[in-house]
Amino acid sequence: MTTRTPYAQHVGAISELKGLTMAAIGPAGPAGRMLIARGLISLRARANLTQTQLAKEAGCGKAMVGRYEDWKDRSRVKWATVKGMAEACKASPEERDALVALAKIQGEGWWVDRGVPELLDPLLSFESAGDHEHVFASGLVPGLLQTRAYAQALHEAQMVRASREEVDRHVEIRMMRQQALNRDDFALWVVLDEAVFKRVIGNRAVMAEQLAHLEEAQRQKQIDIQVLPFASGAHAAGAGAPFVTIGREDAANPLASMSVVYLETHDRGIYLDNPQDIAKYKMIFDYLRSQAVDRDVSTEMLAAARQDYAS
């Protein structure tokens, strides 16, 4: 269940709904539901209503209010319900219309109806809405930077009882996910543990191709890759579990900003949106960046590893 920010932290944000357009805060799926939830919580806090009181004023059940304030609930958001809740909280027409606009575009992400695994639905939504992604990769090349051959070998190893068609579908989704890197407004920063390119996925030829791909990615202005060498010893990530932070900063419209931490287990994704958790992982990533070698040395290490695999 989502851990909620104290209501007082939301009160100042609700005024930022004014003037927002659907283009400015228009992410579909979980990212959009998060913004809707933040807006509704802020309105209710400003109106000094409990969930029970809001439910009575809006003519719906308390459970529905709780569901709309929890972005992790996968049920489709109905714009009429959002409108009713906003009006019950005495929202201005601009505030109400901004939330209704968000509700009306839910479910229109490119990944919808493509058989995307449930654990990836929020991740794809947040990547679509975010303008930056920070990744600590402790054992595998991050999905956004995997070659098709590397992804194929990885999924074949992980999905031991799946059909070839199912494996191929997962690989194709992984490749489509990489569309985020084609956006001018999206930046990726990766701290790559040296262990990532010591573990052979597929075979040596697959690894040589993958490392060449990382070298090429390093040349793109919106991508930064730093290697965390074994020689660095103990580091800020402790046991070394991988994590991803995705966000978007919008100083003009704070309510359009978002931040979430993604942790992946074998069969599900864990998403943290509590401000304390987000701050903790941001700090860990900052320390990892300082403990890793710089961009030029990282590129040299990638090139040396590629040459070793290619020989």
Side-chain angles (χ1 to χ4, degrees), residues 95-303:
E95 293 167 346
R96 177 202 63 206
D97 292 346
L99 288 173
V100 168
L102 271 176
K104 284 184 175 181
I105 64 168
Q106 291 308 289
E108 296 181 1
W110 65 261
W111 58 92
V112 175
D113 298 327
R114 293 181 181 270
V116 171
E118 182 175 333
L119 72 89
L120 284 180
D121 179 27
L123 179 62
L124 294 173
S125 177
F126 288 121
E127 283 181 341
S128 177
D131 63 13
H132 67 270
E133 181 167 329
H134 295 163
V135 183
F136 172 54
S138 60
L140 299 169
V141 173
L144 288 178
L145 295 175
Q146 291 176 8
T147 63
R148 183 177 290 274
Y150 185 99
Q152 187 77 34
L154 185 60
H155 280 84
E156 287 175 354
Q158 292 177 331
M159 302 171 67
V160 292
R161 297 193 175 184
S163 66
R164 180 56 182 263
E165 291 75 16
E166 188 175 358
V167 170
D168 289 347
R169 179 172 60 83
H170 277 71
V171 172
E172 191 59 38
I173 291 169
R174 177 65 52 87
M175 296 298 101
M176 293 180 68
R177 179 186 160 202
Q178 295 178 3
Q179 294 176 36
L181 296 177
N182 296 328
R183 290 165 40 202
D184 293 334
D185 66 339
F186 187 84
L188 175 67
W189 198 319
V190 176
V191 173
L192 199 70
D193 194 291
E194 187 175 353
V196 171
F197 50 85
K198 295 297 184 181
R199 179 176 298 279
V200 179
I201 303 298
N203 54 45
R204 294 179 67 84
V206 169
M207 290 301 297
E209 179 191 37
Q210 176 63 75
L211 288 163
H213 182 66
L214 292 179
E215 290 179 75
E216 179 63 30
Q218 184 80 295
R219 298 187 184 98
Q220 300 181 41
K221 64 180 181 179
Q222 79 273 29
I223 298 176
D224 287 281
I225 302 172
Q226 288 182 263
V227 174
L228 184 66
F230 290 140
S232 295
H235 52 73
F243 64 87
V244 177
T245 64
I246 307 170
R248 180 177 66 196
E249 305 298 333
D250 192 331
N253 298 312
L255 196 64
S257 299
M258 61 158 221
S259 192
V260 68
V261 177
Y262 171 64
L263 308 174
E264 184 173 332
T265 65
H266 181 69
D267 59 355
R268 68 189 183 99
I270 300 172
Y271 297 88
L272 307 176
D273 65 335
N274 180 281
Q276 287 73 34
D277 289 328
I278 292 167
K280 179 179 73 173
Y281 277 94
K282 284 183 176 180
M283 181 184 69
I284 290 172
F285 191 76
D286 285 341
Y287 274 103
L288 289 170
R289 288 190 293 195
S290 69
Q291 292 172 299
V293 295
D294 65 26
R295 184 187 179 103
D296 291 338
V297 176
S298 296
T299 302
E300 291 172 2
M301 292 183 69
L302 292 172

